[in-house]
Amino acid sequence: MGIVAGLDSSPDFTRIVVCDTDTGAVLRQGYAPHPVDGDRPADVDPQAWLLSLGEAAGGGLLEGVQAIGVSAQQNALIPLDAQGNTVRPAMVGADRRTQVAAADLIDALGGREAWAQAVGCVPQAAQPVTKLRWLAKNEPDAALRAAILMQAHDWLVWQLLGRPVRRTTDRGGASGTGYWSAATGNYRTDLLELALGHQAMLPEVIGPAEAAGTTPEGLLISAGTGETMAAAFGLGIGLGDAVVSLGASGSVMAVHPEALVDGTGMITALADATGMHLPVVTTLNAVRTLRGTAELLGLPDLESLSDLAMKSTPGAHGLVLLPYLEGERTPNLPHTAGTLAGLRRESMKAEHLARAAFEGMLCGLADALDVLRGRGVEVRRVFLLGAAAELTAVQAAAPALFGAQVVVPQPADYAAIGAARQAAWALGASQGTLDPRTPPAWQGAAAQVLEPGDELAVGQAVRQQYVSVREQTHPGAFRP
């Protein structure tokens, strides 16, 4: 029996879990916020991540650990000079500054389909390729000095190893850059140059069970990966599983054996942390729909909205909410607004509007699931993540609307657990005790399992009611 650690450096904090290598049981954990000013600034000195890492690992947390895996926030771009020093702070998160740069890049290559064919995704404001374009246009001196490009988990792994000459990343992290193709497994350096204006050194993409290196103290550091991939790995999802994340916006991802090229740009073709693929479909409106409805009805929180919705019945007496409050990506309606349809005297009650908000949010996510299903992705189970997954109204409606078993895992830092599982895999592969093609079989997440059961037919009728309103309001906009 051994122990390994998983480190998750999220946008706000560092979480470290120490796990048993055989079972994945969490033995101890540490936490520290990043020492940054303000609420999620767009530019961050990456040294802040090292400071919170050191604090989280305090008190002998890592004593006896044999290997460490690193998960970190995606889309953080760290441009370094030829000596490995930062030329400017890291550009992190969904950066509104870069929206024009994304449009520029799409036009420069000849449209959305050209990008989808090249790297499996269409440039978005958050992606490193788009941030490079912004840098070249707005900070040309910094762009010229950028000789090495890294993302957050690449940089942290490199720092833990003592900044060696060899710099590495993994398929998962590389697949989100906009200049690496999950379908071919190769960098598109021509797209990097299109964005930055010149070439730069990129990390070597290593395999899921490979080690990035060993510290002078003999501690093995695994490849690391992005937070999305690490969380999927920590949950233990496989073929037939999808994950629906309920944040302000929503996302649907599933494990698939091959990369999906989607000319419409609705699917982002990411790679996972196991050697498989992780197609993702995003909606702009999820929990923000619930919060907006709660405010409209004068309710103090989402629990109150859920309780009110449960006083209604499936179908909300014919009330249908198309929840496109911020425009929408799935379907691609960036400039539209939400629609409330089916108003009759008997449906004009607060509980029916509350129910329609939950059903509208979940039907919008069911549309995203249908995009994947329409491309041959099998969905037998849906893992539902986010605080809103605990709401009674969500759990009551989701299985029948999704047409699948719904699994609601207990809250945990699955990204850190996934990073630890990757560390155990790399350790076992290096020792010859684990097959580099097969990850360690850790115990699954403790979860509540919900079946559609007898409600399936009712749920599908509610879904059809929603689809009819969507097609009447936005004919032909949704083509899964």
Side-chain angles (χ1 to χ4, degrees), residues 429-480:
S430 73
Q431 295 172 338
T433 57
L434 284 178
D435 186 336
R437 296 165 297 181
T438 308
W442 281 10
Q443 59 196 19
Q448 187 177 2
V449 178
L450 310 167
E451 300 284 356
D454 296 338
E455 295 296 311
L456 182 59
V458 174
Q460 295 313 293
V462 173
R463 182 84 203 288
Q464 189 52 53
Q465 177 178 272
Y466 175 91
V467 169
S468 296
V469 172
R470 188 196 66 215
E471 282 303 301
Q472 288 166 10
T473 312
H474 306 286
F478 182 70
R479 300 185 184 281

Side-chain angles (χ1 to χ4, degrees), residues 103-137:
D104 283 349
L105 281 175
I106 293 169
D107 291 343
L109 196 64
R112 300 170 68 85
E113 187 159 358
W115 278 97
Q117 293 289 341
V119 287
C121 59
V122 178
Q124 297 158 22
Q127 283 183 297
V129 71
T130 305
K131 289 168 176 168
L132 289 176
R133 180 73 160 197
W134 182 90
L135 200 62
K137 297 285 187 184

